[in-house]
Amino acid sequence: MADSNFIDYVKIFCASGHGGAGSAHLYRAKYVAKGGPDGGDGGRGGHIILKANPQFWTLIHLKYRKHVKADNGEAGQGGLRHGKNGADIYLDVPLGTVARDAETGEQICELVEPGEEFILCKGGRGGLGNNNFKTPTLQTPRFAQPGEDGMEGWFILELKILADVGLVGFPNAGKSTLLSTITAAKPKIANYAFTTLEPNLGIVSYYDDQSFVMADIPGIIEGAHEGRGIGIRFLRHIERNSVLLFMVSAEEDDIKKGYETLLNELREYNPELLVKDRVLAITKCDMIDEGIEKEIEPTLPKDLPHVFISSMSQEGLKELKDLLWKALHK
């Protein structure tokens, strides 16, 4: 993936600005020998803010920006002049981005709505000027507050693709071919494992100008949850899909076993994925006849909607869309 523009994981160091110091100035004028305190407050340090931007689909713009530092707030001045706040830094991220503490792994926030913002590092508050500390018994305070320090630390930003339907299957199960057939997406297609090295998105048109988004996730192999193959890098994208379309090739010796292997990988990675609605598609059915389909049918899971499809001959694609639409709108 060295030449890929799809980056879904970055680690960055962020430091917000320090607050400006308050002023301990005393008012002086030509005919005022002993003026009172007139020190202004210091300005707030700049925040570092994450902002969900639907125009972005990858984190590549942050890959080489390892350190992000916001400006400090300016110090207060005499004449009750407050210091200027440090400029905030906005980091645009795609919808579906999750921020974590790099040391603890704790999730800090997730941004899923367009325009949603989250202050990742708050700027330090500005110190109060001496004008805030005058009292009837202390009419000329000669001190002021220093500004607060900002926050800093290492953070991990992860992108989880947002889609209505996620394709789950072994390498070379026909996922990319299906996506290219029923959407305008043009993923790389070849007859070998791991052709797809990054998620691909496409929009599936349905009746009455309605549509839904489909995501082609790189192939999963047995043991993916333990880091085998490349599946572990993309299993998190499945978490954001409303419906999971399991795809098993008709070339498999045992289709039910293949489906259960895929299901087990999701269970081992995150058991919560099993609550999502599922549909099973037996692909490449142009390579078998109706007699074999009838033999396969009784062996399939009873409680799982299924359909035989062929992206090459267009067989079963209408029925597949109907099943997915029904699952999405249960």
Side-chain angles (χ1 to χ4, degrees), residues 31-97:
Y31 299 107
V32 181
K34 295 182 178 180
D38 68 346
D41 300 340
R44 171 184 59 78
H47 296 322
I48 295 179
I49 304 172
L50 297 179
K51 183 175 182 179
N53 188 336
Q55 301 299 319
F56 285 75
W57 68 283
T58 174
L59 295 169
I60 192 171
H61 60 293
L62 298 176
K63 181 179 180 181
Y64 302 107
R65 191 180 180 183
K66 293 298 185 184
H67 294 80
V68 181
K69 176 73 168 67
D71 293 336
N72 296 329
E74 294 183 357
Q77 300 180 45
L80 297 178
R81 288 175 291 179
H82 290 195
K84 183 180 178 181
N85 291 340
D88 297 332
I89 293 181
Y90 285 84
L91 299 179
D92 288 316
V93 295
L95 303 184
T97 297

Short mmCIF file of all heavy atoms in Angstrom, two decimals, residues 31-97:
data_model
loop_
_atom_site.label_atom_id
_atom_site.label_comp_id
_atom_site.label_asym_id
_atom_site.label_seq_id
_atom_site.Cartn_x
_atom_site.Cartn_y
_atom_site.Cartn_z
N TYR A 31 -1.63 63.69 36.05
CA TYR A 31 -2.11 64.25 37.31
C TYR A 31 -2.68 63.18 38.24
O TYR A 31 -3.44 63.48 39.15
CB TYR A 31 -3.16 65.33 37.05
CG TYR A 31 -2.63 66.49 36.24
CD1 TYR A 31 -2.99 66.65 34.90
CD2 TYR A 31 -1.73 67.38 36.80
CE1 TYR A 31 -2.48 67.70 34.16
CE2 TYR A 31 -1.22 68.44 36.07
CZ TYR A 31 -1.59 68.59 34.74
OH TYR A 31 -1.08 69.63 34.02
N VAL A 32 -2.33 61.92 37.96
CA VAL A 32 -2.77 60.81 38.82
C VAL A 32 -1.52 60.12 39.34
O VAL A 32 -0.87 59.36 38.62
CB VAL A 32 -3.66 59.81 38.04
CG1 VAL A 32 -4.12 58.70 38.99
CG2 VAL A 32 -4.85 60.52 37.44
N ALA A 33 -1.19 60.42 40.57
CA ALA A 33 0.06 59.87 41.13
C ALA A 33 -0.06 58.39 41.46
O ALA A 33 0.88 57.61 41.27
CB ALA A 33 0.46 60.66 42.38
N LYS A 34 -1.21 58.01 41.98
CA LYS A 34 -1.38 56.63 42.42
C LYS A 34 -2.69 56.08 41.86
O LYS A 34 -3.70 56.00 42.57
CB LYS A 34 -1.37 56.53 43.93
CG LYS A 34 -0.03 56.91 44.56
CD LYS A 34 -0.07 56.74 46.06
CE LYS A 34 1.28 57.08 46.70
NZ LYS A 34 1.28 56.91 48.15
N GLY A 35 -2.64 55.72 40.58
CA GLY A 35 -3.82 55.12 39.96
C GLY A 35 -4.02 53.68 40.40
O GLY A 35 -3.11 53.03 40.92
N GLY A 36 -5.21 53.18 40.23
CA GLY A 36 -5.50 51.80 40.63
C GLY A 36 -5.01 50.79 39.61
O GLY A 36 -4.45 51.12 38.57
N PRO A 37 -5.26 49.52 39.90
CA PRO A 37 -4.84 48.45 38.98
C PRO A 37 -5.68 48.47 37.70
O PRO A 37 -6.90 48.64 37.76
CB PRO A 37 -5.09 47.17 39.78
CG PRO A 37 -6.17 47.53 40.75
CD PRO A 37 -5.94 48.98 41.10
N ASP A 38 -5.02 48.32 36.57
CA ASP A 38 -5.76 48.27 35.31
C ASP A 38 -5.17 47.21 34.36
O ASP A 38 -5.18 47.37 33.16
CB ASP A 38 -5.79 49.64 34.63
CG ASP A 38 -4.43 50.09 34.14
OD1 ASP A 38 -3.42 49.48 34.56
OD2 ASP A 38 -4.36 51.03 33.33
N GLY A 39 -4.65 46.15 34.97
CA GLY A 39 -4.07 45.07 34.16
C GLY A 39 -5.14 44.20 33.53
O GLY A 39 -6.09 43.76 34.21
N GLY A 40 -5.01 43.92 32.23
CA GLY A 40 -5.98 43.09 31.53
C GLY A 40 -5.66 41.61 31.65
O GLY A 40 -4.56 41.21 32.07
N ASP A 41 -6.63 40.79 31.31
CA ASP A 41 -6.46 39.33 31.37
C ASP A 41 -5.67 38.83 30.17
O ASP A 41 -5.67 39.44 29.09
CB ASP A 41 -7.82 38.64 31.38
CG ASP A 41 -8.68 39.05 32.56
OD1 ASP A 41 -8.12 39.56 33.55
OD2 ASP A 41 -9.92 38.87 32.47
N GLY A 42 -5.01 37.70 30.37
CA GLY A 42 -4.30 37.06 29.27
C GLY A 42 -5.26 36.32 28.34
O GLY A 42 -6.37 35.95 28.73
N GLY A 43 -4.84 36.12 27.11
CA GLY A 43 -5.68 35.42 26.13
C GLY A 43 -5.59 33.91 26.29
O GLY A 43 -4.60 33.37 26.79
N ARG A 44 -6.64 33.23 25.85
CA ARG A 44 -6.67 31.76 25.89
C ARG A 44 -5.72 31.18 24.84
O ARG A 44 -5.59 31.72 23.74
CB ARG A 44 -8.09 31.27 25.63
CG ARG A 44 -8.20 29.76 25.43
CD ARG A 44 -9.60 29.31 25.09
NE ARG A 44 -10.16 29.89 23.89
CZ ARG A 44 -9.85 29.51 22.65
NH1 ARG A 44 -8.93 28.55 22.44
NH2 ARG A 44 -10.44 30.09 21.62
N GLY A 45 -5.10 30.08 25.18
CA GLY A 45 -4.28 29.37 24.20
C GLY A 45 -5.15 28.72 23.13
O GLY A 45 -6.33 28.41 23.35
N GLY A 46 -4.60 28.52 21.97
CA GLY A 46 -5.36 27.94 20.87
C GLY A 46 -5.73 26.47 21.10
O GLY A 46 -4.93 25.69 21.62
N HIS A 47 -6.96 26.12 20.73
CA HIS A 47 -7.41 24.73 20.77
C HIS A 47 -6.91 23.97 19.54
O HIS A 47 -6.60 24.57 18.50
CB HIS A 47 -8.94 24.65 20.74
CG HIS A 47 -9.63 25.25 21.93
ND1 HIS A 47 -9.16 25.16 23.21
CD2 HIS A 47 -10.80 25.97 22.00
CE1 HIS A 47 -9.99 25.77 24.03
NE2 HIS A 47 -10.99 26.29 23.32
N ILE A 48 -6.90 22.65 19.64
CA ILE A 48 -6.75 21.78 18.47
C ILE A 48 -8.06 21.01 18.34
O ILE A 48 -8.46 20.27 19.25
CB ILE A 48 -5.56 20.83 18.60
CG1 ILE A 48 -4.27 21.65 18.64
CG2 ILE A 48 -5.53 19.83 17.44
CD1 ILE A 48 -3.02 20.83 18.78
N ILE A 49 -8.76 21.23 17.23
CA ILE A 49 -10.14 20.77 17.07
C ILE A 49 -10.24 19.82 15.88
O ILE A 49 -9.76 20.13 14.78
CB ILE A 49 -11.08 21.97 16.87
CG1 ILE A 49 -10.95 22.95 18.04
CG2 ILE A 49 -12.53 21.51 16.72
CD1 ILE A 49 -11.70 24.26 17.83
N LEU A 50 -10.87 18.68 16.11
CA LEU A 50 -11.19 17.77 15.01
C LEU A 50 -12.54 18.18 14.42
O LEU A 50 -13.48 18.46 15.17
CB LEU A 50 -11.26 16.32 15.51
CG LEU A 50 -9.98 15.71 16.08
CD1 LEU A 50 -10.25 14.28 16.53
CD2 LEU A 50 -8.85 15.74 15.07
N LYS A 51 -12.62 18.16 13.09
CA LYS A 51 -13.88 18.54 12.44
C LYS A 51 -14.20 17.53 11.34
O LYS A 51 -13.37 17.26 10.47
CB LYS A 51 -13.78 19.94 11.84
CG LYS A 51 -15.08 20.43 11.20
CD LYS A 51 -14.96 21.86 10.73
CE LYS A 51 -16.27 22.36 10.13
NZ LYS A 51 -16.19 23.77 9.68
N ALA A 52 -15.40 16.96 11.40
CA ALA A 52 -15.82 15.98 10.39
C ALA A 52 -16.17 16.70 9.09
O ALA A 52 -17.06 17.54 9.06
CB ALA A 52 -17.02 15.18 10.90
N ASN A 53 -15.45 16.35 8.05
CA ASN A 53 -15.64 16.99 6.75
C ASN A 53 -16.01 15.93 5.71
O ASN A 53 -15.19 15.06 5.39
CB ASN A 53 -14.35 17.71 6.34
CG ASN A 53 -14.52 18.55 5.09
OD1 ASN A 53 -15.40 18.31 4.26
ND2 ASN A 53 -13.66 19.56 4.93
N PRO A 54 -17.24 15.97 5.18
CA PRO A 54 -17.66 14.94 4.22
C PRO A 54 -16.89 14.98 2.91
O PRO A 54 -17.00 14.05 2.11
CB PRO A 54 -19.15 15.26 4.00
CG PRO A 54 -19.30 16.69 4.39
CD PRO A 54 -18.31 16.95 5.47
N GLN A 55 -16.09 16.03 2.67
CA GLN A 55 -15.30 16.10 1.45
C GLN A 55 -14.03 15.24 1.54
O GLN A 55 -13.37 15.01 0.53
CB GLN A 55 -14.89 17.56 1.17
CG GLN A 55 -16.07 18.51 1.00
CD GLN A 55 -16.96 18.13 -0.17
OE1 GLN A 55 -16.47 17.75 -1.23
NE2 GLN A 55 -18.27 18.20 0.03
N PHE A 56 -13.70 14.78 2.73
CA PHE A 56 -12.52 13.94 2.92
C PHE A 56 -12.95 12.48 3.04
O PHE A 56 -13.97 12.18 3.64
CB PHE A 56 -11.76 14.36 4.19
CG PHE A 56 -10.98 15.64 4.06
CD1 PHE A 56 -11.63 16.87 4.06
CD2 PHE A 56 -9.61 15.63 3.92
CE1 PHE A 56 -10.92 18.06 3.94
CE2 PHE A 56 -8.88 16.81 3.81
CZ PHE A 56 -9.54 18.02 3.81
N TRP A 57 -12.14 11.59 2.49
CA TRP A 57 -12.43 10.16 2.60
C TRP A 57 -11.22 9.37 3.08
O TRP A 57 -11.27 8.15 3.22
CB TRP A 57 -12.90 9.60 1.25
CG TRP A 57 -11.84 9.59 0.20
CD1 TRP A 57 -11.37 10.64 -0.53
CD2 TRP A 57 -11.05 8.46 -0.22
NE1 TRP A 57 -10.36 10.25 -1.36
CE2 TRP A 57 -10.14 8.91 -1.21
CE3 TRP A 57 -11.04 7.12 0.13
CZ2 TRP A 57 -9.24 8.07 -1.84
CZ3 TRP A 57 -10.13 6.28 -0.50
CH2 TRP A 57 -9.25 6.75 -1.48
N THR A 58 -10.12 10.04 3.36
CA THR A 58 -8.90 9.38 3.82
C THR A 58 -8.15 10.33 4.76
O THR A 58 -8.43 11.53 4.80
CB THR A 58 -8.01 9.01 2.62
OG1 THR A 58 -6.76 8.50 3.10
CG2 THR A 58 -7.74 10.22 1.74
N LEU A 59 -7.21 9.78 5.51
CA LEU A 59 -6.41 10.57 6.45
C LEU A 59 -5.02 10.88 5.90
O LEU A 59 -4.11 11.24 6.64
CB LEU A 59 -6.25 9.80 7.78
CG LEU A 59 -7.55 9.57 8.57
CD1 LEU A 59 -7.30 8.59 9.71
CD2 LEU A 59 -8.09 10.88 9.12
N ILE A 60 -4.87 10.76 4.58
CA ILE A 60 -3.54 10.94 3.98
C ILE A 60 -2.98 12.34 4.24
O ILE A 60 -1.77 12.52 4.34
CB ILE A 60 -3.58 10.64 2.47
CG1 ILE A 60 -2.15 10.54 1.93
CG2 ILE A 60 -4.41 11.66 1.73
CD1 ILE A 60 -2.06 10.04 0.50
N HIS A 61 -3.86 13.35 4.36
CA HIS A 61 -3.37 14.72 4.57
C HIS A 61 -2.74 14.90 5.94
O HIS A 61 -2.08 15.91 6.19
CB HIS A 61 -4.52 15.71 4.38
CG HIS A 61 -5.66 15.51 5.32
ND1 HIS A 61 -6.48 14.41 5.27
CD2 HIS A 61 -6.13 16.27 6.35
CE1 HIS A 61 -7.40 14.50 6.22
NE2 HIS A 61 -7.20 15.61 6.89
N LEU A 62 -2.94 13.93 6.84
CA LEU A 62 -2.32 14.00 8.18
C LEU A 62 -1.15 13.02 8.33
O LEU A 62 -0.49 13.02 9.37
CB LEU A 62 -3.37 13.70 9.26
CG LEU A 62 -4.55 14.67 9.34
CD1 LEU A 62 -5.55 14.19 10.37
CD2 LEU A 62 -4.07 16.08 9.68
N LYS A 63 -0.91 12.22 7.31
CA LYS A 63 0.12 11.19 7.41
C LYS A 63 1.49 11.78 7.68
O LYS A 63 2.29 11.23 8.45
CB LYS A 63 0.14 10.35 6.14
CG LYS A 63 1.18 9.23 6.17
CD LYS A 63 1.16 8.40 4.89
CE LYS A 63 2.20 7.29 4.96
NZ LYS A 63 2.22 6.49 3.70
N TYR A 64 1.81 12.88 7.03
CA TYR A 64 3.14 13.48 7.17
C TYR A 64 3.13 14.72 8.06
O TYR A 64 4.11 15.46 8.11
CB TYR A 64 3.70 13.83 5.79
CG TYR A 64 3.79 12.62 4.89
CD1 TYR A 64 2.89 12.46 3.84
CD2 TYR A 64 4.73 11.63 5.11
CE1 TYR A 64 2.94 11.34 3.02
CE2 TYR A 64 4.79 10.51 4.31
CZ TYR A 64 3.90 10.37 3.26
OH TYR A 64 3.95 9.25 2.46
N ARG A 65 2.03 14.95 8.76
CA ARG A 65 1.94 16.07 9.69
C ARG A 65 1.95 15.49 11.11
O ARG A 65 0.93 15.40 11.78
CB ARG A 65 0.66 16.87 9.44
CG ARG A 65 0.62 18.19 10.19
CD ARG A 65 -0.67 18.95 9.89
NE ARG A 65 -0.72 20.22 10.60
CZ ARG A 65 -1.74 21.05 10.56
NH1 ARG A 65 -2.81 20.75 9.83
NH2 ARG A 65 -1.71 22.19 11.24
N LYS A 66 3.12 15.09 11.57
CA LYS A 66 3.23 14.35 12.82
C LYS A 66 3.07 15.23 14.06
O LYS A 66 2.71 14.75 15.12
CB LYS A 66 4.59 13.64 12.88
CG LYS A 66 4.75 12.52 11.86
CD LYS A 66 3.73 11.43 12.08
CE LYS A 66 3.95 10.25 11.14
NZ LYS A 66 2.91 9.22 11.27
N HIS A 67 3.39 16.51 13.95
CA HIS A 67 3.31 17.40 15.09
C HIS A 67 2.39 18.59 14.78
O HIS A 67 2.59 19.27 13.77
CB HIS A 67 4.70 17.91 15.50
CG HIS A 67 5.60 16.82 16.01
ND1 HIS A 67 6.28 15.97 15.17
CD2 HIS A 67 5.92 16.45 17.28
CE1 HIS A 67 6.98 15.11 15.91
NE2 HIS A 67 6.78 15.38 17.17
N VAL A 68 1.41 18.80 15.64
CA VAL A 68 0.47 19.91 15.47
C VAL A 68 0.53 20.76 16.73
O VAL A 68 0.27 20.26 17.84
CB VAL A 68 -0.96 19.39 15.25
CG1 VAL A 68 -1.92 20.55 15.04
CG2 VAL A 68 -1.01 18.44 14.05
N LYS A 69 0.89 22.02 16.57
CA LYS A 69 1.07 22.91 17.73
C LYS A 69 0.26 24.18 17.51
O LYS A 69 0.40 24.86 16.50
CB LYS A 69 2.56 23.27 17.88
CG LYS A 69 2.87 24.28 18.98
CD LYS A 69 2.74 23.64 20.36
CE LYS A 69 3.32 24.54 21.46
NZ LYS A 69 2.55 25.78 21.64
N ALA A 70 -0.60 24.49 18.48
CA ALA A 70 -1.41 25.71 18.40
C ALA A 70 -0.67 26.88 19.04
O ALA A 70 0.26 26.70 19.84
CB ALA A 70 -2.75 25.49 19.10
N ASP A 71 -1.07 28.09 18.69
CA ASP A 71 -0.43 29.30 19.21
C ASP A 71 -0.79 29.54 20.67
O ASP A 71 -1.88 29.18 21.13
CB ASP A 71 -0.85 30.52 18.40
CG ASP A 71 -0.34 30.47 16.97
OD1 ASP A 71 0.67 29.78 16.73
OD2 ASP A 71 -0.95 31.13 16.09
N ASN A 72 0.14 30.20 21.38
CA ASN A 72 -0.13 30.61 22.76
C ASN A 72 -1.00 31.86 22.77
O ASN A 72 -1.00 32.65 21.81
CB ASN A 72 1.17 30.90 23.51
CG ASN A 72 2.05 29.66 23.64
OD1 ASN A 72 1.54 28.55 23.72
ND2 ASN A 72 3.35 29.87 23.69
N GLY A 73 -1.71 32.07 23.88
CA GLY A 73 -2.45 33.30 24.05
C GLY A 73 -1.50 34.44 24.38
O GLY A 73 -0.43 34.23 24.97
N GLU A 74 -1.87 35.65 24.02
CA GLU A 74 -1.02 36.81 24.32
C GLU A 74 -1.27 37.30 25.74
O GLU A 74 -2.35 37.12 26.30
CB GLU A 74 -1.29 37.92 23.32
CG GLU A 74 -0.89 37.58 21.89
CD GLU A 74 -1.10 38.75 20.94
OE1 GLU A 74 -1.62 39.80 21.39
OE2 GLU A 74 -0.77 38.60 19.75
N ALA A 75 -0.25 37.94 26.32
CA ALA A 75 -0.37 38.47 27.67
C ALA A 75 -1.28 39.70 27.70
O ALA A 75 -1.41 40.42 26.70
CB ALA A 75 1.02 38.84 28.20
N GLY A 76 -1.92 39.90 28.85
CA GLY A 76 -2.73 41.10 29.02
C GLY A 76 -1.86 42.34 29.13
O GLY A 76 -0.64 42.25 29.37
N GLN A 77 -2.47 43.49 28.97
CA GLN A 77 -1.73 44.76 29.03
C GLN A 77 -2.48 45.76 29.89
O GLN A 77 -3.63 45.54 30.29
CB GLN A 77 -1.54 45.32 27.62
CG GLN A 77 -0.78 44.42 26.68
CD GLN A 77 -0.62 45.03 25.31
OE1 GLN A 77 -0.29 46.21 25.18
NE2 GLN A 77 -0.87 44.23 24.27
N GLY A 78 -1.78 46.85 30.19
CA GLY A 78 -2.42 47.90 30.96
C GLY A 78 -3.58 48.52 30.21
O GLY A 78 -3.76 48.32 29.01
N GLY A 79 -4.36 49.30 30.94
CA GLY A 79 -5.55 49.89 30.32
C GLY A 79 -6.65 48.88 30.13
O GLY A 79 -7.52 49.05 29.27
N LEU A 80 -6.61 47.81 30.94
CA LEU A 80 -7.62 46.74 30.87
C LEU A 80 -7.70 46.11 29.48
O LEU A 80 -8.77 45.67 29.05
CB LEU A 80 -9.01 47.27 31.30
CG LEU A 80 -9.12 47.77 32.75
CD1 LEU A 80 -10.53 48.30 33.01
CD2 LEU A 80 -8.78 46.67 33.73
N ARG A 81 -6.59 46.09 28.80
CA ARG A 81 -6.56 45.46 27.47
C ARG A 81 -6.26 43.97 27.61
O ARG A 81 -5.19 43.60 28.11
CB ARG A 81 -5.51 46.15 26.59
CG ARG A 81 -5.91 47.54 26.14
CD ARG A 81 -4.81 48.23 25.38
NE ARG A 81 -3.70 48.56 26.27
CZ ARG A 81 -2.57 49.15 25.88
NH1 ARG A 81 -2.41 49.46 24.60
NH2 ARG A 81 -1.61 49.42 26.75
N HIS A 82 -7.18 43.18 27.16
CA HIS A 82 -7.04 41.73 27.26
C HIS A 82 -6.14 41.22 26.13
O HIS A 82 -6.15 41.75 25.01
CB HIS A 82 -8.40 41.04 27.17
CG HIS A 82 -9.25 41.28 28.39
ND1 HIS A 82 -10.36 40.53 28.66
CD2 HIS A 82 -9.13 42.17 29.40
CE1 HIS A 82 -10.92 40.96 29.79
NE2 HIS A 82 -10.19 41.96 30.25
N GLY A 83 -5.40 40.17 26.44
CA GLY A 83 -4.54 39.57 25.42
C GLY A 83 -5.35 38.83 24.38
O GLY A 83 -6.47 38.34 24.64
N LYS A 84 -4.82 38.73 23.19
CA LYS A 84 -5.49 38.03 22.09
C LYS A 84 -5.42 36.52 22.30
O LYS A 84 -4.40 35.99 22.73
CB LYS A 84 -4.82 38.42 20.77
CG LYS A 84 -5.47 37.81 19.54
CD LYS A 84 -4.72 38.27 18.29
CE LYS A 84 -5.31 37.64 17.04
NZ LYS A 84 -4.57 38.07 15.82
N ASN A 85 -6.53 35.83 22.00
CA ASN A 85 -6.54 34.37 22.08
C ASN A 85 -5.64 33.77 21.00
O ASN A 85 -5.52 34.31 19.89
CB ASN A 85 -7.95 33.82 21.89
CG ASN A 85 -8.87 34.14 23.05
OD1 ASN A 85 -8.40 34.45 24.16
ND2 ASN A 85 -10.17 34.08 22.82
N GLY A 86 -5.01 32.65 21.33
CA GLY A 86 -4.23 31.94 20.33
C GLY A 86 -5.14 31.37 19.25
O GLY A 86 -6.29 30.98 19.52
N ALA A 87 -4.66 31.32 18.04
CA ALA A 87 -5.48 30.81 16.93
C ALA A 87 -5.73 29.31 17.10
O ALA A 87 -4.81 28.54 17.40
CB ALA A 87 -4.78 31.08 15.60
N ASP A 88 -6.99 28.91 16.92
CA ASP A 88 -7.34 27.49 16.96
C ASP A 88 -6.88 26.80 15.68
O ASP A 88 -6.86 27.41 14.60
CB ASP A 88 -8.85 27.32 17.12
CG ASP A 88 -9.38 27.89 18.43
OD1 ASP A 88 -8.60 27.93 19.41
OD2 ASP A 88 -10.56 28.29 18.47
N ILE A 89 -6.53 25.53 15.80
CA ILE A 89 -6.17 24.73 14.64
C ILE A 89 -7.26 23.68 14.41
O ILE A 89 -7.59 22.91 15.32
CB ILE A 89 -4.81 24.04 14.82
CG1 ILE A 89 -3.70 25.09 14.86
CG2 ILE A 89 -4.55 23.03 13.70
CD1 ILE A 89 -2.31 24.50 15.01
N TYR A 90 -7.82 23.68 13.21
CA TYR A 90 -8.84 22.70 12.85
C TYR A 90 -8.21 21.61 11.99
O TYR A 90 -7.53 21.89 11.00
CB TYR A 90 -9.98 23.36 12.07
CG TYR A 90 -10.91 24.19 12.94
CD1 TYR A 90 -10.59 25.50 13.27
CD2 TYR A 90 -12.09 23.65 13.42
CE1 TYR A 90 -11.44 26.26 14.07
CE2 TYR A 90 -12.95 24.40 14.21
CZ TYR A 90 -12.62 25.70 14.54
OH TYR A 90 -13.46 26.44 15.33
N LEU A 91 -8.43 20.37 12.40
CA LEU A 91 -7.97 19.22 11.62
C LEU A 91 -9.19 18.56 10.98
O LEU A 91 -10.01 17.95 11.68
CB LEU A 91 -7.23 18.22 12.52
CG LEU A 91 -5.97 18.73 13.24
CD1 LEU A 91 -5.38 17.63 14.12
CD2 LEU A 91 -4.94 19.21 12.23
N ASP A 92 -9.33 18.71 9.66
CA ASP A 92 -10.44 18.07 8.96
C ASP A 92 -10.20 16.57 8.86
O ASP A 92 -9.11 16.13 8.48
CB ASP A 92 -10.59 18.66 7.56
CG ASP A 92 -11.15 20.08 7.58
OD1 ASP A 92 -12.11 20.31 8.34
OD2 ASP A 92 -10.62 20.95 6.87
N VAL A 93 -11.22 15.80 9.19
CA VAL A 93 -11.12 14.34 9.12
C VAL A 93 -12.38 13.80 8.44
O VAL A 93 -13.43 14.45 8.44
CB VAL A 93 -10.96 13.71 10.52
CG1 VAL A 93 -9.64 14.13 11.16
CG2 VAL A 93 -12.14 14.10 11.43
N PRO A 94 -12.30 12.62 7.85
CA PRO A 94 -13.49 12.04 7.20
C PRO A 94 -14.55 11.63 8.22
O PRO A 94 -14.25 11.43 9.40
CB PRO A 94 -12.92 10.81 6.47
CG PRO A 94 -11.44 10.98 6.48
CD PRO A 94 -11.10 11.80 7.68
N LEU A 95 -15.77 11.51 7.76
CA LEU A 95 -16.83 10.96 8.61
C LEU A 95 -16.46 9.53 8.98
O LEU A 95 -16.00 8.75 8.15
CB LEU A 95 -18.17 10.97 7.88
CG LEU A 95 -18.67 12.32 7.34
CD1 LEU A 95 -20.06 12.15 6.74
CD2 LEU A 95 -18.70 13.35 8.44
N GLY A 96 -16.68 9.19 10.25
CA GLY A 96 -16.34 7.85 10.72
C GLY A 96 -14.98 7.78 11.37
O GLY A 96 -14.48 6.69 11.66
N THR A 97 -14.36 8.92 11.66
CA THR A 97 -13.04 8.93 12.28
C THR A 97 -13.18 8.79 13.80
O THR A 97 -14.01 9.41 14.43
CB THR A 97 -12.28 10.24 11.96
OG1 THR A 97 -12.07 10.30 10.55
CG2 THR A 97 -10.94 10.29 12.68
#
